Every structure is written in C-alpha cells, then in structure tokens.
Amino acid sequence: MCGIFAYLNYHVPRTRREILEILLKGLRRLEYRGYDSAGVGIDGGNGKEWESNAKSIQLIKQRGKVKALDEEINKQEDMDLDVEFDVHLGIAHTRWATHGVPSPVNSHPHRSDKTNEFIVIHNGIITNYKDLRKFLESKGYEFESETDTETIAKLVKYMYDNRESDDINFATLVERVTQQLEGAFALVFKSVHYPGEAVGTRRGSPLLIGVRSDHKLSSDHIPVLYRSSGKEKKSCGALPRTDQDTCLFPVDEKAVEYYFASDASAVIEHTNRVIFLEDDDVAAVMEGRLSIHRIKRRAGDYPARAIQTLQMELQQIMKGNYSSFMQKEIFEQPESVVNTMRGRINFNDNTVILGGLKDHIKEIQRCRRLILIACGTSYHAGVATRQVLEELTELPVMVELASDFLDRNTPVFRDDVCFFISQSGETADSLMALRYCKERGALTVGVTNTVGSSISRETDCGVHINAGPEIGVASTKAYTSQFVALIMFALLMCDDRISMQPRRREIIQGLRVLPDLIKEVLSLDDEIQKLATELYQQKSVLIMGRGYHYATCLEGALKIKEITYMHSEGILAGELKHGPLALVDKLMPVIMIIMRDHTYVKCQNALQQVVARQGRPIVICDKDDYETIKSSSRTIKVPHCVDCLQGILSVIPLQLLSFHLAVLRGFDVDCPRNLAKSVTVE
C-alpha cells in the first residue's frame, strides 16, 4: 500500500540536497509496498534563515517511479539545493491509486489551498470523504483532485480558519480532524503556521517514528498525554523546559532527528530506535521534543509508548548479488526456516517450546475448534497445514479467508481459538476479523513476521516467524516459515500424548533435515529456468495435486498470476472429472504434483486421465519414484521428506518457475502491477 516517509532535523544542519536525498532514499525503501506515483513536500524559501524559508512550502509530485520524481526535482529552476536548514520537516509519499487515476494532481502530499498552508500524506482509505467534501465545498473550499485524502488537507485548514484562539497547537488541530474521519489512515502533517513541527497519527494503518541522536535521550518511554475534562492539557512545548516526564528529547536540548515511516525498512539505515504508534495516538514534534497525545482514556490502555530497538540489519533489505528481492528471498529459505525453528526445537530430546504461547497453551489444548484466518499466501499456509493440525490436535480445523469470514458473520464462540496469519501483521481484513473474534470472547493467536505490527499487538498471544524482512511483493520465504511455525504449534499441542510420540519424532527429525533438503531443491534452478523458456509464451497453466499438495497448487498458481500475469489455476486433482478435465488438451500446459504419500495411487489415476486426453503434464515428484519418472515425459525430481513437510519442498520449484517466467516475459518481479505488499485497506 501507500508508503509514508517524513524526516525532521532539529539542530542538525542539512542542505536541501541532503534532505531530498534522505526523503527519496526513504521512498525507495518503501517501493516494495507497490505504488504508481510519488511526491515530496519541503520548505520553499531560498534565504539564509530557516524560519523565513519555512513560511512557504514547495510540492513536487510525479506519476511513475521514484526515479521520475527525482528527475522532476532536478528540473526545478527556482530551488537552491545548497541552502542549509538548521531545522526542517520534509514529507514524502508513494501512492497506490484507490480514488482517482495515477497523476501528479492526485499524488500526495495533498494541500489545503493554492498557497500550501497545510499539506498531508496519507496511507489508508477515508470512507466518509464524500460527506466531508460536500460540507467543505459548501463552505467555499475548492478541490482539485479526485482523492479522499484531499478532504483531510481541506479539513485541517477549516479547523485552523475557525480556531477559537491563535495559540491553538498543531496536535490539537489534528486531533479535531481525526475525530471527523471514518475509515483507516496513517497521516503526517506539515504547515507554514507551525514551522519545524510535525504531527503524525494513525488508525488502522501502520506508522512508526525513528529517533536518532548522538546525545542521551531523556527517557526510553514516552508517557501518553490525555485531554482532561474538556480542557486542553498544555502542549509539550508549553511545559517547563526541564520537564522530562511528558516528552522525549535529547538531554541539554541537543540535536535530534525524527523519521516517520510506514515500516521499519525505511528508517533502519538511519536508526534502530523506534516507537510504534497505537491506533488514535497523535504524535507531535515541537521544538525538537516528541510527545504523544490521546483524546480518550480506555480501559487496558498502556500509559506510555516504549522506544524499541530493531533487530533488523540494513543488509537484510539489500539485494546483494541477486537480481531481485524475490530471487534473494527464495534462496534465503534454508536460513529462514532455520531462524523460524531456532531456540524452539530441541532435536536431541524432541521437545518444542514456543515462548509466545507458553502462558496460553493449556487453554488452547482445552478448546473445541481451531480457526485459521488469513488472506492470500498466508491463507495457503493454513490450508497446507490443516491436515497435520487435525491429525495431531484431534480438533476440527477451519481455514478461512478473512474477507469471506467477515462477510458471512461466521459464528465464533468462547471456546474457539482463532489464528491470524499475516506476514506484515497489518492486513486489513485479517485485522478486522481479529477484532470480530475478540468481541465474541475467542482466544486469539497471531502468526506474523513483523515485530510491533497491529496483529502482533492485538492478539492474546502468538508466534513470530523470524523469517527476516520480506521485500518482494510475491511472498516466498514467509510462506515456508509460516508453514513451519504452524507445524511446530501442532507438535506442541500433542507433546503429552503417548500415542502421538512416534509421529512427533518422525516430524521433528524431518524438520531437522529440512534446510539441507531445501538447498537440494534450490540446486534445480537451472533446470527450472530451462523449463520456463518453454512455457513463458503460453497464455495459461493448470497446477494439479491433492492431499498435502492442494495448498502447493493454490500457492504456485498465485505466484504465477502475481508476477507473470499469466492465467493460472490450482486444481484439486480429486475434482478433475467434475469440470476441469474439459480444459485439458495437447496445448494446455499442466503441472502435476505427485508424491509418495497416502494420495499417491489417486494422483497416479489423475495423471493417467490427463495423459489419456493428450495432456503432456510436467510432474513434480519424488526423486526415487521411478514409476512416475518412467511414465512421464517431463519431471522435476525433489528429495523425499515426511509427508506433512513435503509441501515445502514441492512449492519451491513453483516459486522458481514463476520467477523465471516473469523475467523472461520482461516484468518487474518485485513490484507487480496493481499489487501492494501489505494490503492495509479492506
């Protein structure tokens, strides 16, 4: 989804060129989220005093990639790039079009009026924007774009024009604006009336603040300030200068830099100290001091926001020697599955420990039903592990698409345990489903890859999959790590069942050798690239399997759809005669997954049906399955593993195939058209 990045330097002198470089670099780190236009807002003057320069704001916006925005910036003739700012706020944005076509006028930042008194960047969707727009137009405010975001810029100007006194602070204005907004948003505001000040807020969309200073900070926690009894509490800047109980600032009022961003990948090269904002927080930086405000106090609210130290490293979000992030992430899977298991499985005594669940495992073991709720690839991880979860827990397991789960108002009870699987932890439909289940008293468990994400914070307990940052829009290593995390949960659930011990030991020893087997599959890359050269001009591909491998078919088909734009369909082989067999002829590319497990004989029958219709299937099979290899014209041979883990080994050839198909078709592998990495709107 849209990417937000803002940079405020306080007593850290920066030239306009340096500020723009920081802003553009921040946007490049957010490119993986998907976007179609970009823009920046900076102070406009060319004088020597930053205060006078801050009395005007310059907007530069462009359709297309960040590179196009960079070129547009360099075309600006009236902008002195060598002017130095002791204090400055610059805001930048990558837009993924929802309301209005990609164009400079629809790009962010949006402005309150032609003189740019207030500008705002936004990630999310405002659902009541039509009513707000109608009201503001009736008050004489003129709109220039088709977007929902422009109403926010006009609304903050309306609040300022109708203020009751001149000493109203920026945070209060923004609070009044957010009270009128419905929907999801993360916002950062800049204004000529509040030079060197920034205000950010969020509801439903992610926003964090990075802090960098060479000097000691006043605290590692920022207390939340509430508006009390209708009277405005004093703003941070109005508090005594030595008051370190309400603000974050460098001791002795030294230099400090703040970075507002949609996610940590944009700030990690500058600082690893971040504050994750909660829904309805309003964070204000005034005179270099950061304070956090809320309007209402609710039961269970944390009284402060902690400064957290990110464990991420810059090299994790760099491509290294790979041509794309997706290729890098496919080849990282031997390490990422090890990281998912590290410290959690003891292969010597066959024990599993999931620290995030230890306080709730007894309650989970007493439940009546497990519900796995997710979207896209995360949903497929649930489908892939449903069978082994049912086998080891002996509980009914439902796997639900979050959007459909909400549409049906699915009955949920207090003795259900609901799992929410999401790479980003911000997926809007999964987040709404989480709140729906919490209202009904179910125990909620998060399975995410992002520390500090909304799902990880709002669930009762959870498992962090530790796959490392995933930048490519098409998920690869997160899928295999989610798969392993859910298998570990199943093993934990039956650790005291004597009858299950032989099966538990078999699976745990399978997990032990899994990283080496993944490396073996990755060595097939050249063979799969050769296969891709034969398929890349095709219009469609069918992928068939059953049992543990139905999820592999769905996931492989999704990968091909996402990045190659070919039509692809994952088909349950047991349903072949109920319709899909009509598609099979000598021209239709078919991939079949046939492994030596309990569905082997049935899959062989499906293979014969396809061959009888002159189909020429490419078969992904066990490298020791000589019968299938002999009867098939084309095979991809993968090593054998425990049946419930074989899905990890069978999906990797499809990940590699989709990657090579996309490259051969000339498409951007990491940023497929019309798609975003983290879907933060319903």
Side-chain angles (χ1 to χ4, degrees), residues 39 54 58 108 178 209 233 239 267 339 471 541 568:
Q58 183 159 0
H108 301 218
T178 59
I209 303 170
K233 215 173 209 182
L239 290 161
V267 304
N339 290 337
I471 306 297
V541 60
S568 55

Side-chain angles (χ1 to χ4, degrees), residues 253-286:
E253 305 295 314
K254 298 268 182 30
V256 64
E257 295 163 283
Y258 294 101
Y259 304 84
F260 291 74
S262 296
D263 76 47
S265 59
V267 304
I268 191 64
E269 63 199 279
H270 305 292
T271 179
N272 63 354
R273 292 191 288 182
V274 299
I275 298 133
F276 293 98
L277 296 183
E278 302 280 349
D279 274 359
D280 296 314
D281 281 356
V282 175
V285 179
M286 183 177 180

